Amino acid sequence: MKANFSFLEYSYNSKLGSPSALFKRLETLGWTLRSRHKKSGASIWNHNKSIMLIKDNPDITSVAKATGLGFMIPSLQDIELPDTELDPDTGFFVHKNKQHNFNIYLVSESLMSQQVEKDYQVINDRPAMDSPGLEITSGVIIENSDNIIKDLLAQIGFVANDTGDFYTRLVCPTSKFTIMIDKNNNSGIKSYIMDTHDVFKATANYTLRDIKLLDIEHDHENLELFGKLQHKIVGYNIKAWGNEESYSLENVIPGNKSLPTNIIFRQRKQYLKVNEQTINYY
């Protein structure tokens, strides 16, 4: 089975606290509430092409946590992942790994719009007016030392194309989505990786929104390799990998109490891979 990445899942436990801080954080970061499930209250948010499913989950032990990934498949008949069942709270088929509170959603490409229209109420269908500039989710970092999540992802088409002492990079031949498996522990999704057309503009927008960004150290780096970009890299406090011809220019929004997941946002030019050196730096 070949699956194309579609959306992120984020959960909150209403028994431990109100999700209002999570919702406010998402809005500040640029996500917009688009629709809400008519019965369960699960909601769909977007930031340009980055989509997030938010739902109540009494099984998590914290107020909020990243808990899953959603994938598009050609047809529901293509589902081969064992124990995948229809989830009445979302209207999508899902495989739930309760040991790690990690969910894999499988949604039919032909039925997605029809399903959302049937089960969800539209809250806001207007274009976002003040997006900070993140475009799409291009990867995630998952802490999984026992390989259970890694093996589940292999069953939907992900393959390892690089393995190190502490990390395995998984890619899907049918998409450009990358999953880095951190072998150090089993705490689940640690970071999201988002692409932007202009990392400097996105950094400025988040600074104006009073969003704390990671402090980057440039003391021992040869930034002359980046030519005219050198001064902007330093001025905007950007982490740079590569050189002027092939680079990834990155910044990081560290996770906080409201949304305890790091967001790495990056601008790329002929620099496609997420590598172990990058992850170790953060």
Side-chain angles (χ1 to χ4, degrees):
M1 177 175 61
K2 303 299 183 182
N4 288 313
F5 172 75
S6 179
F7 60 86
L8 306 164
E9 182 197 49
Y10 222 89
S11 295
Y12 61 88
N13 188 338
S14 59
K15 295 180 179 179
L16 299 179
S18 168
S20 59
L22 170 62
F23 297 159
K24 183 177 180 180
R25 179 68 170 175
L26 287 171
E27 290 172 347
T28 303
L29 294 178
W31 269 266
T32 300
L33 171 62
R34 292 303 185 186
S35 57
R36 183 176 289 117
H37 195 276
K38 295 174 182 178
K39 294 182 179 180
S40 71
S43 54
I44 296 175
W45 299 61
N46 85 304
H47 186 159
N48 291 316
K49 295 180 181 179
S50 179
I51 301 171
M52 194 175 292
L53 173 69
I54 311 292
K55 61 175 293 191
D56 196 355
N57 183 344
D59 294 327
I60 62 173
T61 57
S62 55
V63 176
K65 178 179 173 66
T67 49
L69 302 172
F71 298 89
M72 301 291 282
I73 57 176
S75 168
L76 295 179
Q77 295 179 347
D78 295 327
I79 294 178
E80 300 172 357
L81 191 62
D83 303 317
T84 299
E85 300 176 347
L86 181 65
D87 175 26
D89 290 339
T90 62
F92 306 139
F93 279 83
V94 63
H95 173 96
K96 297 183 178 182
N97 181 267
K98 293 187 177 181
Q99 180 179 347
H100 294 300
N101 278 316
F102 184 81
N103 300 325
I104 295 177
Y105 290 87
L106 299 173
V107 184
S108 167
E109 294 174 357
S110 60
L111 297 178
M112 176 67 168
S113 297
Q114 178 182 330
Q115 197 71 39
V116 171
E117 184 176 343
K118 171 177 171 286
D119 292 337
Y120 289 76
Q121 177 184 358
V122 175
I123 304 299
N124 182 357
D125 59 0
R126 294 172 295 177
M129 300 301 293
D130 59 346
S131 167
L134 306 190
E135 294 295 329
I136 194 168
T137 307
S138 56
V140 293
I141 302 170
I142 303 176
E143 295 179 329
N144 179 225
S145 59
D146 63 14
N147 286 329
I148 288 178
I149 295 176
K150 174 177 171 289
D151 292 343
L152 288 172
L153 293 166
Q155 293 183 62
I156 60 171
F158 280 86
V159 295
N161 78 338
D162 190 18
T163 300
D165 293 336
F166 302 106
Y167 293 92
T168 297
R169 181 170 60 237
L170 302 178
V171 296
C172 183
T174 58
S175 70
K176 296 180 180 180
F177 191 73
T178 299
I179 298 176
M180 293 294 290
I181 300 292
D182 181 341
K183 305 175 187 177
N184 290 297
N185 61 58
N186 273 321
S187 61
I189 298 174
K190 173 184 177 181
S191 303
Y192 294 145
I193 302 171
M194 309 278 183
D195 281 9
T196 176
H197 295 309
D198 190 337
V199 70
F200 304 108
K201 181 179 178 180
T203 295
N205 283 335
Y206 280 129
T207 300
L208 290 172
R209 294 176 183 224
D210 200 28
I211 298 295
K212 177 177 174 55
L213 301 173
L214 188 69
D215 291 328
I216 304 296
E217 298 289 341
H218 293 119
D219 294 346
H220 304 292
E221 297 179 334
N222 183 11
L223 296 180
E224 293 181 359
L225 294 172
F226 294 91
K228 295 179 181 179
L229 291 171
Q230 177 181 355
H231 298 295
K232 291 184 73 174
I233 289 169
V234 175
Y236 283 83
N237 194 40
I238 301 296
K239 177 61 184 172
W241 303 97
N243 55 56
E244 188 175 13
E245 299 302 320
S246 175
Y247 58 70
S248 180
L249 307 179
E250 304 174 356
N251 214 328
V252 181
I253 304 169
N256 67 3
K257 185 177 180 179
S258 301
L259 194 148
T261 305
N262 304 317
I263 297 176
I264 301 169
F265 59 96
R266 60 182 183 171
Q267 174 184 338
R268 295 184 289 169
K269 178 184 178 182
Q270 298 181 16
Y271 191 101
L272 301 180
K273 294 182 178 180
V274 180
N275 57 47
E276 186 168 341
Q277 183 184 14
T278 303
I279 308 306
N280 286 336
Y281 180 86
Y282 300 128

